[in-house]
Amino acid sequence: MAARARRLPRPALALLLLLLLAACGFLLLPSLPGATGGGQRLDLRDLLALSVAAAEAGGRRVRAVHEAGSDLQQRSKGQTREGAEELLTAGDLQSHRCMASLWASTFPGIRVISEEHDEAALDLSEPWDGKIPLEIQEMVPSGQTVAMESVTVWIDPLDATQEYTEGLLSYVTTMVCVAVHGKPVIGVIHKPFSGFTAWALVGHGANVSARDAYDERSPRLIVSRSHAGTVRTFSQKAFGTNVNIIPAGGAGYKVLSLLNLNKADQPDQADAYLHITFIKKWDICAGNAVLSALGGHMTTLDGRDIDYLDSPGNKEGLIASVGLDHLQLVKKVSALEEVVRKE
């Protein structure tokens, strides 16, 4: 009687088939950002949801401090390069501790760069609860992962501190940005005093959008309140005397002014965001990611991408837009580079 051939178990057959396909070059595995192998891998959808949770949690601290009374415990950290006082308040510190603790307790070892630093120990007792907001579930698929060592998280616990102390609360935001290999891929901008949150994941969508039209000939330029006069002088040379300058506080607020938002969430609307001096990267990383997700751009004045790998400062100024010919904007403001170098 002839011996019966032994059948391989189905899992073994499947594995053998995969190996044969790979050997023949027919099996293509998806290429993911940061897929360099080794180490812990993080799901981009989780990183986005955690970024939203951190920005909103920090925002609650910012609002609570302000609503508790007039004593914000403000003190000076020194002066900016433009000579303006750089303030620190209890709102900054409490938001920083809250946001940084949430990241450290959820993903120990992840690289986080924050605007603020203090000696208080982070609270690692309450990690993120893992809840994914429904709108993120609907727009962002799970399974897109990056290596932890490729990630840098930038947090701004309180953007527009000066305006916070003056009661100009519409300018105030809390922000989180996730950069992968130095490129901004997740951006969250939260407004604590209206409750509005803008988020975006490059390549997968956002809960905000660009407007239908922008004015390229005589753009409304949104600029820093601290040096609006200087920017006006140079902007008129670049765009003509009809250019409209909108002074505003906070880099997050300025980016939101470029988007299609209602007046309640965003009082000002601009066509481009211009900054001609030194600026910290925690101020701009989140906005850069949001604009990139919408097909827009944030570059140095000479049109180069801004790297968010480590160095905290951007010395080359910036021009940001969405819905405009960004290259043409760069050509018009390129004359400002010499001014920036002197700052």
Side-chain angles (χ1 to χ4, degrees):
M1 184 175 178
R4 297 179 63 183
R6 293 179 61 189
R7 293 184 177 180
L8 288 172
R10 288 186 177 182
L13 284 171
L15 178 59
L16 180 60
L17 180 60
L18 287 173
L19 291 172
L20 288 172
L21 287 171
C24 295
F26 296 123
L27 184 62
L28 298 177
L29 297 177
S31 177
L32 302 174
T36 57
Q40 183 178 355
R41 299 193 67 80
L42 308 176
D43 193 302
L44 284 171
R45 187 168 77 166
D46 289 343
L47 292 176
L48 172 58
L50 175 53
S51 297
V52 171
E56 293 181 348
R60 288 191 290 271
R61 299 295 180 91
V62 166
R63 183 165 184 162
V65 168
H66 198 275
E67 293 178 346
S70 58
D71 183 14
L72 301 178
Q73 301 175 35
Q74 69 186 64
R75 63 180 188 267
S76 175
K77 294 193 293 184
Q79 290 188 328
T80 67
R81 296 193 179 194
E82 294 81 33
E85 202 74 22
E86 192 168 10
L87 298 177
L88 178 69
T89 69
D92 295 89
L93 288 178
Q94 289 195 26
S95 178
H96 159 75
R97 293 167 189 162
C98 175
M99 296 171 72
S101 293
L102 197 56
W103 279 98
S105 59
T106 304
F107 294 119
I110 198 168
R111 189 173 189 225
V112 177
I113 302 176
S114 172
E115 176 176 10
E116 307 304 342
H117 307 276
D118 70 341
E119 297 180 358
L122 297 180
D123 181 4
L124 305 182
S125 63
E126 294 186 19
W128 174 52
D129 60 14
K131 294 181 179 178
I132 310 290
L134 182 59
E135 63 177 356
I136 293 179
Q137 292 184 41
E138 292 174 345
M139 295 181 65
V140 180
S142 62
Q144 299 294 303
T145 66
V146 293
M148 180 185 282
E149 60 265 25
S150 71
V151 171
T152 305
V153 180
W154 296 83
I155 62 176
D156 192 340
L158 200 171
D159 190 36
T161 299
Q162 178 67 47
E163 288 73 19
Y164 180 65
T165 64
E166 296 174 10
L168 302 174
L169 303 179
S170 65
Y171 293 129
V172 174
T173 63
T174 58
M175 295 187 285
V176 179
C177 176
V178 175
V180 179
H181 294 305
K183 296 185 180 298
V185 298
I186 290 173
V188 177
I189 305 174
H190 173 65
K191 302 191 77 172
F193 294 94
S194 73
F196 174 75
T197 303
W199 60 260
L201 172 56
V202 176
H204 292 283
N207 70 336
V208 288
S209 62
R211 300 198 302 273
D212 292 332
Y214 295 84
D215 189 340
E216 192 163 355
R217 287 191 172 183
S218 300
R220 295 163 294 178
L221 299 180
I222 195 160
V223 304
S224 174
R225 292 172 70 223
S226 63
H227 55 275
T230 303
V231 176
R232 182 185 300 276
T233 301
F234 292 104
S235 297
Q236 287 177 342
K237 293 181 180 179
F239 296 97
T241 56
N242 291 329
V243 67
N244 184 15
I245 300 297
I246 304 173
Y253 180 92
K254 296 182 186 78
V255 168
L256 292 179
S257 75
L258 307 181
L259 308 182
N260 183 27
L261 301 176
N262 61 52
K263 279 281 187 179
D265 292 325
Q266 183 60 36
D268 287 313
Q269 284 194 341
D271 299 302
Y273 166 24
L274 178 65
H275 191 90
I276 65 171
T277 58
F278 179 88
I279 191 168
K280 296 294 181 63
K281 292 179 182 177
W282 46 68
D283 290 322
I284 59 177
C285 186
N288 197 336
V290 170
L291 292 176
S292 294
L294 300 178
H297 304 274
M298 180 183 287
T299 65
T300 58
L301 294 179
D302 61 356
R304 289 179 289 115
D305 289 335
I306 300 168
D307 179 77
Y308 296 94
L309 191 59
D310 43 31
S311 172
N314 171 48
K315 301 178 182 179
E316 288 79 26
L318 69 84
I319 180 75
S321 70
V322 60
L324 292 178
D325 185 334
H326 193 77
L327 182 58
Q328 288 302 313
L329 289 176
V330 168
K331 288 180 179 179
K332 289 181 178 181
V333 301
S334 58
L336 302 180
E337 286 182 68
E338 184 178 348
V339 177
V340 173
R341 293 193 192 102
K342 293 179 181 179
E343 294 292 336

